[in-house]
Amino acid sequence: MGWMLAALDRWNARHPWSHNKAYTPVVLAHGRLARSGVRADGLLDDRAPSRALDVGCGTGLLARRLGRSFDEVIGLEPSAPTAALARRTTADIPAVRIIQGSLDSIGQEQFDLVSLVAVLHHLPLEPALRSLRRLVRPGGRLVVIGLAAETRRDFGWSLSSMVLNPLVGTLLHLRPGELAPAEMTAPTVEPTATLEEIRNAAARFLPGARLRHGLFWRYVLVWRAVPV
């Protein structure tokens, strides 16, 4: 078994691809629902600008895509060098503004869509959920693509991801490469909260939130702020 895992690691290293980018369509789809949902509830004048916040925006690829759908997009990135790269990535998208800082940098602003992709496990879970809840406009959505510490319950998902990962990497990059894409070079930490712990915290701070397991060691959490 050990030699097989080592072989898979070597293969994956030669055909790297971003698991986070696989979930970009999920975030964009919820972004469209967030915009239409807020306006359908009559909570905002149709002339009011639609707003999105991408927390931990990394190199700015998702913020760039959101900038084609929203009137205003803020990409929040704590790393100064990465924020500089995100500014270059989004320089030709007028709707996007990159801020180097933490969640506290946003203050009392609110958004139709707040997204976090592989970011929540870098933050203290419960304080982060409290802060994120305040950032979502009534009728808007919080979308988290996250990582959780694995348990025995996750074995089936993990095994499926292990099998599919080299296949997807090979299809996306038929010729082996030596360098990972820029969006895969940011510092990472291992998640400590299990999926069940995240689900319980979400139930306390985000009533009505939906959480589901996903492939490639990710989960999807969606919460819609109740209109008032």
Side-chain angles (χ1 to χ4, degrees):
M1 187 65 174
W3 67 267
M4 186 181 297
L5 293 176
L8 277 175
D9 285 343
R10 289 194 297 271
W11 186 272
N12 291 334
R14 297 181 69 195
H15 300 269
W17 67 283
S18 172
H19 301 148
N20 295 332
K21 285 179 68 175
Y23 284 88
T24 295
V26 175
V27 179
L28 296 178
H30 281 289
R32 290 190 293 270
L33 291 171
R35 291 185 61 199
S36 61
V38 167
R39 279 150 182 76
D41 289 326
L43 297 171
L44 289 177
D45 188 292
D46 286 340
R47 294 168 296 178
S50 57
R51 308 189 74 212
L53 170 68
D54 186 29
V55 179
C57 69
T59 59
L61 293 176
L62 177 57
R64 180 182 176 85
R65 295 286 300 274
L66 291 171
R68 298 170 182 168
S69 303
F70 286 83
D71 299 314
E72 298 177 8
V73 177
I74 292 179
L76 184 63
E77 172 54 47
S79 165
T82 307
L85 178 56
R87 291 189 185 99
R88 294 195 293 272
T89 300
T90 60
D92 62 330
I93 309 294
V96 179
R97 177 163 54 103
I98 305 298
I99 295 177
Q100 191 263 312
S102 65
L103 274 176
D104 295 336
S105 308
I106 302 302
Q108 301 302 311
E109 296 187 59
Q110 288 192 311
F111 304 84
D112 304 319
L113 174 72
V114 177
S115 61
L116 296 87
V117 180
V119 169
L120 186 58
H121 67 288
H122 289 261
L123 307 173
L125 179 60
E126 294 189 356
L129 293 180
R130 282 196 296 266
S131 297
L132 292 167
R133 176 175 178 164
R134 292 194 296 269
L135 295 174
V136 185
R137 279 174 171 167
R141 294 189 178 215
L142 168 66
V143 181
V144 177
I145 310 299
L147 286 75
E150 290 193 3
T151 66
R152 291 182 178 180
R153 294 181 178 180
D154 306 313
F155 177 76
W157 287 96
S158 183
L159 182 61
S160 298
S161 298
M162 288 175 62
V163 172
L164 290 172
N165 190 60
L167 296 178
V168 175
T170 302
L171 288 173
L172 292 176
H173 304 287
L174 292 176
R175 299 181 62 181
E178 297 181 356
L179 296 177
E183 64 269 19
M184 294 177 62
T185 59
T188 59
V189 298
E190 290 297 319
T192 57
T194 66
L195 199 65
E196 193 63 24
E197 290 170 336
I198 296 166
R199 192 188 307 276
N200 291 337
R204 290 195 299 273
F205 298 103
L206 306 172
R210 293 178 288 116
L211 188 153
R212 64 175 177 84
H213 222 311
L215 287 169
F216 309 119
W217 303 279
R218 300 294 186 271
Y219 66 82
V220 180
L221 185 154
V222 178
W223 177 69
R224 183 171 183 260
V226 177
V228 293

